[in-house]
Amino acid sequence: MTDAEDRKPQSDEARMAFTPPAGIEVGDSESETTSEFALPQGLDVPQAPSAEPEGSAFSTPSWYGTADSPAAFTPPNGIPQVSLTKDLPWQDRMRTMLRMPVAERPAPERMPRAEEEGPAVPRVLDMTLRIGELLLAGGEGAEDVEAAMFAVCRSYGLDRCEPNVTFTLLSISYQPSLVDDPVSAARTVRRRGTDYTRLAAVYRLVDDLSDPESHISLEEAYGRLAEIRRNRHPYPTWVLTAASGLLAGAASVLVGGDVIVFVAAMVGAMLGDRLAWLCAGRGLPEFYQFTVAAMPPAAIGVALTLSHVDVKASAVITGGLFALLPGRALVAGVQDGLTGFYITASARLLEVLYFFVGIVVGVLVILYFGVNLGAKLNPDAALNISERPYWQIAASMLLSLTFAVLLQQERSTVLAVTLNGGVAWVVYGAMHYAGEFSPVASTAVAAGLVGLFGQLMARYRFASALPYTTAAIGPLLPGSATYFGLLSIAQNEVDAGLVSLATAASLAMAIAIGVNLGAEISRIFLRIGSPEKRRAAKRTRGF
């Protein structure tokens, strides 16, 4: 072949710009890259680490760190400048934060991250739930239980936690940031008991945990909590029985009873208390325990009437009812409703209703048989209560004292609550008997002073307000109105009985609302530590 023939193109393919030069091997694969951006063979270029698989827009970026994360949400008006004074009780500080929206809560001072240097998050949540269980089982309000749980979590660096308390269930959730998975735990409250000494010990533990100067490890906190659970009640059983009898006797003096009535009411209440302990040992529900405990005082009152003894049988029965009326649960239920915990409030008030129905059944059974046997019980005796101010003040203080013993209070708080009960009765008597105010208004004002004094003492001692308020409202409980309503129903005067029972319900609500209002007034006029006034939660108003 000549040179001219060699230089002559043999086809159009020979003239293509992408034809590889002679001597370059071409692979047979159809996917051979021929782009000008392809790297030449043999060139070693360091490759970047393989990217993470593509996921959701909400997946956490590899460069993100929660320690240096910016604020997740900024309200339209900006984040307010809030400063909580450290020397105030932890209850006030934690309650103020709980009532704020989550986005407006002030961030705490920088603390070690719980995931890296602190205790394990599940153990902190478990101890928080155990503390909340003791408080809720002891009769504390739902908001105060949440405040205590919030304080425990923040003391260990878990600032983004949300406690939730209902009547029988406690739960808490902790989320380190918006991009981390939350950790949740729950605990059920199955048994309830009245022991204000244990309640005060739990409050001291929470106070120590909230103190920045005391560094209590999680193991030490668990040890103190176990010791609180193992502690026995401060008063033996026979003291409680005697206190129940003295309470009924003091209540009978408040409604006009004499020495015979005092002794009769005392014996009836002690018999009822022993029968209730017997039923509790057999595993009967509390409804039947209240039913059985209400029968002996009513039976003694009817027996005295049938024996034609010149005593006020109504005072005997009324004194026995004072020892059974669930004032503690009533105050806690109304307080939960006023603070926005409607589910817990409904459950507590339903519990009070069941206890009240049990008392009604027990008394009505005895009164029905007594009326059929010819007992002359006079419902109009309620209008002839003699005014004996000195005896009634002494009886009110004795009633508060014995009520405090029944609540298993610490001996250091008994004197204060006794004086508080005496002051409450003085205010009630001055308004109702001397000033001729309605019993509902007089009861509300007296209960408000009880709540105010209890809250002030709680703030002074960094403790719960229940030991200073619950026993002090004992003299104000509507025992006589309840009895005369039941008596009218037993004598087939249903309308008059319902009116009297409605009066008793009004007095009970006045007590509960007064106690809560007195506590709120103390928080309004005493400095909480925030330069801004706490805004109330917005509720629905029909739209």
Side-chain angles (χ1 to χ4, degrees), residues 268-353:
M270 293 174 67
L271 289 176
D273 182 77
R274 286 293 87 197
L275 288 176
W277 277 96
L278 181 63
C279 294
R282 298 295 185 272
L284 288 179
E286 287 184 292
F287 176 86
Y288 301 105
Q289 297 176 29
F290 275 82
T291 302
V292 172
M295 289 183 176
I300 291 179
V302 171
L304 291 175
T305 303
L306 292 175
S307 302
H308 303 288
V309 180
D310 188 16
V311 295
K312 286 187 176 181
S314 60
V316 177
I317 302 175
T318 300
L321 292 179
F322 264 88
L324 297 175
L325 292 177
R328 173 183 57 87
L330 175 67
V331 172
V334 175
Q335 179 181 356
D336 288 341
L338 294 176
T339 53
F341 294 84
Y342 300 115
I343 296 178
T344 307
S346 301
R348 287 187 189 273
L349 294 178
L350 185 61
E351 181 187 39
V352 172
L353 178 62

Side-chain angles (χ1 to χ4, degrees), residues 32 35 65 69 81 95 139-140 142 146 170 195 223 248 271 279 295 307 311 313 370 380 406 411 444 460 478 513 521:
E32 181 70 25
S35 171
S69 62
Q81 186 76 19
R95 187 182 292 108
E140 192 63 84
E146 284 196 359
L170 298 98
D195 189 345
L271 289 176
C279 294
M295 289 183 176
S307 302
V311 295
D380 295 332
L406 288 176
R411 292 177 174 85
Y460 175 71
I513 294 175
I521 288 175

Side-chain angles (χ1 to χ4, degrees), residues 60-70 113 177 179-180:
T60 307
S62 59
W63 50 267
Y64 187 84
T66 57
D68 302 323
S69 62
R113 290 186 57 187
S177 67
V179 294
D180 289 328

Side-chain angles (χ1 to χ4, degrees), residues 347-379:
R348 287 187 189 273
L349 294 178
L350 185 61
E351 181 187 39
V352 172
L353 178 62
Y354 270 99
F355 292 163
F356 188 76
V357 170
I359 297 171
V360 167
V361 170
V363 175
L364 275 181
V365 168
I366 301 300
L367 292 181
Y368 178 78
F369 284 106
V371 170
N372 289 335
L373 291 175
K376 302 298 182 180
L377 299 172
N378 184 15

Side-chain angles (χ1 to χ4, degrees), residues 347-478:
R348 287 187 189 273
L349 294 178
L350 185 61
E351 181 187 39
V352 172
L353 178 62
Y354 270 99
F355 292 163
F356 188 76
V357 170
I359 297 171
V360 167
V361 170
V363 175
L364 275 181
V365 168
I366 301 300
L367 292 181
Y368 178 78
F369 284 106
V371 170
N372 289 335
L373 291 175
K376 302 298 182 180
L377 299 172
N378 184 15
D380 295 332
L383 304 177
N384 301 321
I385 297 178
S386 60
E387 299 180 16
R388 300 172 298 173
Y390 296 108
W391 283 101
Q392 289 177 335
I393 292 174
S396 65
M397 296 178 68
L398 177 60
L399 194 153
S400 300
L401 172 65
T402 52
F403 201 176
V405 174
L406 288 176
L407 294 174
Q408 305 280 0
Q409 291 190 198
E410 291 180 309
R411 292 177 174 85
S412 59
T413 64
V414 171
L415 178 59
V417 74
T418 301
L419 295 176
N420 198 12
V423 172
W425 182 259
V426 168
V427 173
Y428 172 79
M431 293 186 63
H432 179 54
Y433 296 117
E436 297 182 354
F437 286 88
S438 68
V440 176
S442 304
T443 301
V445 173
L449 291 178
V450 169
L452 178 61
F453 175 78
Q455 188 63 34
L456 292 177
M457 288 299 296
R459 291 170 59 89
Y460 175 71
R461 295 197 174 186
F462 288 65
S464 172
L466 287 181
Y468 303 99
T469 58
T470 306
I473 65 172
L476 305 176
L477 292 176

Side-chain angles (χ1 to χ4, degrees), residues 74-414:
T74 302
N77 300 328
I79 299 178
Q81 186 76 19
V82 180
S83 175
L84 296 177
T85 307
K86 294 182 180 180
D87 57 354
L88 288 175
W90 61 265
Q91 299 100 310
D92 289 339
R93 291 186 278 116
M94 296 302 107
R95 187 182 292 108
T96 302
M97 295 192 64
L98 282 174
R99 292 180 178 181
M100 288 182 182
V102 178
E104 298 183 8
R105 290 177 183 171
E109 297 180 1
R110 198 63 193 168
M111 300 179 66
R113 290 186 57 187
E115 298 89 343
E116 296 176 357
E117 302 178 19
V121 173
R123 296 198 66 200
V124 174
L125 299 184
D126 176 71
M127 189 188 66
T128 303
L129 290 174
R130 291 178 183 273
I131 290 177
E133 178 189 9
L134 287 178
L135 293 177
L136 187 62
E140 192 63 84
E143 186 180 37
D144 295 321
V145 176
E146 284 196 359
M149 296 172 64
F150 195 65
V152 173
C153 284
R154 286 178 65 88
S155 64
Y156 286 103
L158 308 185
D159 56 293
R160 298 183 183 91
C161 63
E162 285 297 327
N164 186 24
V165 176
T166 59
F167 185 59
T168 57
L169 181 66
L170 298 98
S171 62
I172 190 168
S173 177
Y174 169 69
Q175 188 173 15
S177 67
L178 291 178
V179 294
D180 289 328
D181 295 331
V183 181
S184 300
R187 193 171 182 87
T188 302
V189 179
R190 302 189 183 276
R191 296 188 61 185
R192 301 177 183 275
T194 304
D195 189 345
Y196 282 3
T197 299
R198 179 178 297 176
L199 189 71
V202 176
Y203 262 81
R204 283 194 293 269
L205 173 59
V206 178
D207 185 32
D208 293 340
L209 290 175
S210 303
D211 189 0
E213 296 182 359
S214 62
H215 304 283
I216 301 178
S217 65
L218 192 62
E219 297 300 329
E220 294 176 348
Y222 264 113
R224 290 182 58 176
L225 194 62
E227 184 179 356
I228 292 172
R229 285 181 173 273
R230 287 194 301 264
N231 282 346
R232 299 179 61 87
H233 298 308
Y235 306 105
T237 304
W238 67 270
V239 173
L240 299 180
T241 302
S244 178
L246 290 174
L247 189 153
S252 67
V253 174
L254 282 179
V255 294
D258 52 13
V259 177
I260 299 178
V261 171
F262 180 91
V263 175
M266 180 176 175
V267 172
M270 293 174 67
L271 289 176
D273 182 77
R274 286 293 87 197
L275 288 176
W277 277 96
L278 181 63
C279 294
R282 298 295 185 272
L284 288 179
E286 287 184 292
F287 176 86
Y288 301 105
Q289 297 176 29
F290 275 82
T291 302
V292 172
M295 289 183 176
I300 291 179
V302 171
L304 291 175
T305 303
L306 292 175
S307 302
H308 303 288
V309 180
D310 188 16
V311 295
K312 286 187 176 181
S314 60
V316 177
I317 302 175
T318 300
L321 292 179
F322 264 88
L324 297 175
L325 292 177
R328 173 183 57 87
L330 175 67
V331 172
V334 175
Q335 179 181 356
D336 288 341
L338 294 176
T339 53
F341 294 84
Y342 300 115
I343 296 178
T344 307
S346 301
R348 287 187 189 273
L349 294 178
L350 185 61
E351 181 187 39
V352 172
L353 178 62
Y354 270 99
F355 292 163
F356 188 76
V357 170
I359 297 171
V360 167
V361 170
V363 175
L364 275 181
V365 168
I366 301 300
L367 292 181
Y368 178 78
F369 284 106
V371 170
N372 289 335
L373 291 175
K376 302 298 182 180
L377 299 172
N378 184 15
D380 295 332
L383 304 177
N384 301 321
I385 297 178
S386 60
E387 299 180 16
R388 300 172 298 173
Y390 296 108
W391 283 101
Q392 289 177 335
I393 292 174
S396 65
M397 296 178 68
L398 177 60
L399 194 153
S400 300
L401 172 65
T402 52
F403 201 176
V405 174
L406 288 176
L407 294 174
Q408 305 280 0
Q409 291 190 198
E410 291 180 309
R411 292 177 174 85
S412 59
T413 64
V414 171

